[in-house]
Amino acid sequence: MGGKKVCIVGSGNWGSAIAKIVGANAARLSGFESQVNMWVLQEEVGGRRLTDIINAEHENVKYLPGHKLPPNVFIGSICDQLKGHVKKEAVGMSLIKGVDEGPDGLRLISDIIHEKLGIEMTVLMGANLANEVADEKFCETTIGCKNTKYGQMLKELMQTPNFRVSVVQEADTVEICGALKNVVAVGAGFCDGLGYGDNTKAAVIRLGLMEMIGFAKLFCKGPVTPTTFLESCGVADLITTCYGGRNRKVAEAFAKTGKSIEQLEKEMLNGQKLQGPQTSAELHRILKSKNMVEKFPLFTAVYRICYEGKPVTDFTKCLQSHPEHM
């Protein structure tokens, strides 16, 4: 008794992979209560409720099939509103790689949670394809935590021999990386679909990283240092997303088939949504309002190809005209 309570909100493939790690660590560490609650959006799978299946069989058969969750990860009933049910001294951690739309442009997911619940927020981002994490293949991740007193506790809760955690204070930079790399991955997928080679993809990754750093400096309120981009949340996540992941995969199909993004989401993603194109639209709105569209040719090309009918074959033109320094 007296340990910290841990709850996971969300039950997709990533939520389930993290539940596997956190459940095992909470059971093992004295500073945490061993029961971990997990809040699930109720769905039916083969005529049975997903929560019932996870509770009975400790397996998320829809989003992370083949991986047993530790039995101490208990599935709570669905909760569409946490407000009023979370202690004000609770510490939140967002694992959502994306951004939301706000009246003045992009809003970080962690900021929205902080505003709604009034709790201190941290983020976890990295080169972490969910199925590989669940398979316990070695990888690294980055926790962005402005308040250093929580960093060590969160690292303990998350780290395993095969899931190596670094903690940095530039939480906004860590989080914005998680959203921006999806846009670059769409560009990498276009290159794959058009049959370009690894040299072209390497250029996309490098130029995309430059635009990520440039945009973070424009957007983040606190300091933005290049070393944060050398963490897993930066260059590593960018590489893995440009070689694997759904944004790259769907963008490749887009270039090959000429079908719309919406059509491909339905066909290829089992009901999940792509974040890259959507984020590119948000970025474009902000860059336009700041008269900086020309400084971000790769982000802009992804937006124009996805939403304005620009031919995908024109994609490499944006690489040829890229400014040398941002």
Side-chain angles (χ1 to χ4, degrees):
M1 289 302 288
K4 291 179 172 60
K5 247 186 194 171
V6 182
C7 174
I8 294 160
V9 180
S11 58
N13 53 359
W14 187 213
S16 298
I18 283 294
K20 197 176 172 187
I21 288 174
V22 168
N25 279 351
R28 183 176 58 81
L29 296 166
S30 59
F32 299 94
E33 282 192 15
S34 65
Q35 180 171 294
V36 173
N37 288 337
M38 186 179 184
W39 291 14
V40 177
L41 178 68
Q42 192 61 272
E43 297 178 73
E44 288 222 343
V45 180
R48 291 172 70 195
R49 296 191 317 165
L50 186 55
T51 46
D52 293 341
I53 296 172
I54 297 174
N55 278 335
E57 295 164 27
H58 300 291
E59 183 178 347
N60 188 332
V61 291
K62 178 163 184 184
Y63 292 112
L64 199 71
H67 289 284
K68 295 289 180 187
L69 303 179
N72 58 311
V73 177
F74 171 77
I75 304 302
S77 61
I78 184 173
C79 178
D80 45 21
Q81 213 175 14
L82 285 165
K83 203 169 185 175
H85 302 283
V86 180
K87 290 180 180 173
K88 62 179 187 300
E89 65 272 19
V91 179
M93 177 183 278
S94 172
L95 287 83
I96 300 163
K97 289 179 179 173
V99 283
D100 200 15
E101 194 177 334
D104 307 315
L106 291 188
R107 295 179 78 209
L108 297 175
I109 302 293
S110 64
D111 283 346
I112 294 166
I113 298 169
H114 170 70
E115 282 165 31
K116 285 191 182 300
L117 301 181
I119 60 172
E120 180 115 21
M121 284 302 296
T122 64
V123 296
L124 182 145
M125 305 279 153
N128 306 141
L129 296 173
N131 284 27
E132 292 182 17
V133 173
D135 280 335
E136 296 176 32
K137 292 174 176 165
F138 177 82
C139 68
E140 301 176 304
T141 200
T142 312
I143 291 176
C145 181
K146 291 171 190 169
N147 189 333
T148 48
K149 75 174 181 179
Y150 299 123
Q152 194 50 40
M153 171 193 76
L154 294 169
K155 181 173 179 167
E156 271 186 26
L157 181 63
M158 294 292 169
Q159 186 154 272
T160 72
N162 286 321
F163 193 62
R164 183 175 172 270
V165 177
S166 298
V167 183
V168 302
Q169 274 187 280
E170 283 179 25
D172 289 357
T173 306
V174 171
E175 187 169 3
I176 201 76
C177 279
L180 298 180
K181 53 98 197 188
N182 286 328
V183 181
V184 184
V186 172
F190 290 160
C191 290
D192 290 343
L194 294 166
Y196 300 143
D198 285 338
N199 293 345
T200 311
K201 201 190 269 197
V204 167
I205 291 170
R206 189 189 79 81
L207 295 167
L209 182 61
M210 281 174 64
E211 292 195 14
M212 284 169 63
I213 295 169
F215 189 86
K217 286 178 176 170
L218 197 68
F219 175 79
C220 295
K221 293 179 280 289
V224 173
T225 51
T227 50
T228 304
F229 292 87
L230 297 177
E231 296 289 346
S232 183
C233 62
V235 70
D237 197 11
L238 180 59
I239 290 167
T240 198
T241 313
C242 287
Y243 279 90
R246 55 189 159 182
N247 286 281
R248 187 218 61 81
K249 188 176 158 188
V250 174
E252 179 183 23
F254 176 91
K256 277 182 173 164
T257 66
K259 291 178 181 176
S260 71
I261 294 286
E262 294 76 20
Q263 181 62 34
L264 291 166
E265 278 176 338
K266 282 190 195 120
E267 288 177 17
M268 298 173 72
L269 293 185
N270 190 24
Q272 292 180 310
K273 286 284 175 199
L274 271 198
Q275 285 167 320
Q278 212 175 316
T279 304
S280 78
E282 277 300 301
L283 299 183
H284 190 70
R285 224 159 59 86
I286 291 173
L287 294 174
K288 214 171 165 185
S289 72
K290 293 182 185 287
N291 289 323
M292 296 192 79
V293 169
E294 276 65 43
K295 286 197 182 296
F296 294 84
L298 192 148
F299 288 172
T300 302
V302 168
Y303 166 73
R304 291 196 165 134
I305 290 164
C306 288
Y307 292 101
E308 291 186 351
K310 188 180 169 78
V312 70
T313 45
D314 284 357
F315 181 63
T316 51
K317 286 182 187 165
C318 78
L319 308 181
Q320 291 156 7
S321 65
H322 210 284
E324 278 187 42
H325 301 287
M326 294 194 71

